[in-house]
Amino acid sequence: MTREEVEKLLRDVKNGKKNIEEALEILINLPYTDLGFAKIDHHRELRTGYPEIIFCAGKSVEQVAEIFKLMYLKEKNIIGTRADETMYDAVRSIIPSALYYREAKIISIQKKKPAVPKSRIAVITAGTSDIPVAEEAAVTAELMGNNVLRIYDAGVAGIHRLVDKLPEIRNCRVVIVIAGMEGALASVVGGLVDKPVIAVPTSVGYGANFGGISALLAMLTSCSTGVTVVNIDNGFGAGFSASIINKM
């Protein structure tokens, strides 16, 4: 339930369109619904501006479908991250309007379109292998109501590929930089733009990359100011944070 919906409910009670019992019936399930295996937080949109996001990895297909079904009945926009195609098929069998973003591994149901600011979010990858994480970030940001500029495969091994795009990048309000290997691209971009940079280390790389730890440490110790770092492969976290900044 959004702030606007709560305000409308209170006005309806005040104006006699709903009685107190009807309002209580609506509000009684506002905090959360207990499914036994999950407690769905209906209050989150009121607190944070967006409904609870479903992290699908580790859940059974049946659990994911049941959560989507409940949230759909609550008239919510729904995002499910780290979802496979089997999960999507199960959700679509219940909710035909569900969409699947294969590279991002996101299931989406959009019941109402969010307001879209004029400013954009840039999503930049060092390499092509980083694109799945980038798509998780980009699609998350788009579903939350943002325009996204994608610039892929523009890493430090061929820095001219990034320089060519600097005018477009500087016109964006937030920049997400996604890199594996040694994770140097975030520092480079941070030194070239006057916008907040959200760095996402990826697990892409050879043995000494240690599954993304080398990129994570490089980004955390960046000498460029304005670089903030999220967890390894956490495209969703970057996209969500960038959306909040872009809509401030």
Side-chain angles (χ1 to χ4, degrees):
M1 183 172 265
T2 65
R3 180 182 293 272
E4 290 76 18
E5 288 169 333
V6 173
E7 288 176 352
K8 182 180 183 302
L9 178 61
L10 293 174
R11 282 196 299 270
D12 286 348
V13 172
K14 181 180 178 181
N15 297 331
K17 293 181 180 179
K18 279 188 171 59
N19 59 42
I20 291 175
E21 288 72 24
E22 289 172 325
L24 284 173
E25 189 63 32
I26 293 169
L27 292 172
I28 199 165
N29 288 318
L30 176 58
Y32 66 89
T33 297
D34 192 345
L35 293 175
F37 58 84
K39 295 178 175 64
I40 309 306
D41 183 1
H42 304 305
H43 193 263
R44 192 166 304 186
E45 187 169 5
L46 188 60
R47 300 194 314 270
T48 68
Y50 203 87
E52 181 176 10
I53 308 295
I54 305 164
F55 181 71
C56 298
K59 293 180 176 66
S60 70
V61 172
E62 294 76 18
Q63 287 171 340
V64 170
E66 192 66 25
I67 292 169
F68 264 86
K69 180 180 177 181
L70 175 69
M71 293 185 71
Y72 183 77
L73 293 173
K74 293 290 182 180
E75 299 292 325
K76 306 261 185 214
N77 284 354
I78 312 171
I79 296 175
T81 65
R82 302 296 167 98
D84 60 33
E85 294 202 41
T86 306
M87 292 172 177
Y88 169 60
D89 289 340
V91 171
R92 189 177 57 173
S93 70
I94 302 168
I95 310 164
S97 60
L99 298 175
Y100 187 59
Y101 300 84
R102 187 167 284 102
E103 203 152 32
K105 294 185 176 178
I106 286 175
I107 303 172
S108 165
I109 296 168
Q110 197 167 62
K111 287 211 160 189
K112 50 191 176 184
K113 288 196 174 293
V116 179
K118 292 181 180 179
S119 52
R120 292 196 294 175
I121 296 170
V123 178
I124 308 170
T125 73
T128 303
S129 299
D130 301 310
I131 289 177
V133 177
E135 278 301 296
E136 185 179 62
V139 171
T140 296
E142 287 172 336
L143 291 174
M144 293 183 68
N146 299 274
N147 289 314
V148 174
L149 168 69
R150 290 168 170 81
I151 299 172
Y152 291 166
D153 195 26
V156 296
I159 202 67
H160 55 289
R161 299 172 298 176
L162 174 71
V163 173
D164 285 347
K165 299 293 184 179
L166 277 177
E168 290 179 81
I169 296 168
R170 286 172 174 153
N171 280 327
C172 294
R173 193 172 186 195
V174 195
V175 183
I176 298 172
V177 179
I178 299 165
M181 301 291 186
E182 82 286 18
L185 186 62
S187 291
V188 172
V189 173
L192 293 172
V193 301
D194 62 349
K195 305 295 189 295
V197 173
I198 301 172
V200 187
T202 73
S203 51
V204 172
Y206 295 103
N209 169 262
F210 295 111
I213 292 175
S214 66
L216 171 66
L217 294 177
M219 290 171 174
L220 286 171
T221 56
S222 172
C223 64
S224 294
T225 54
V227 175
T228 302
V229 187
V230 299
N231 208 345
I232 297 167
D233 292 336
N234 189 11
F236 162 74
F240 196 100
S241 296
S243 177
I244 291 171
I245 294 169
N246 195 37
K247 292 189 173 186
M248 287 178 70

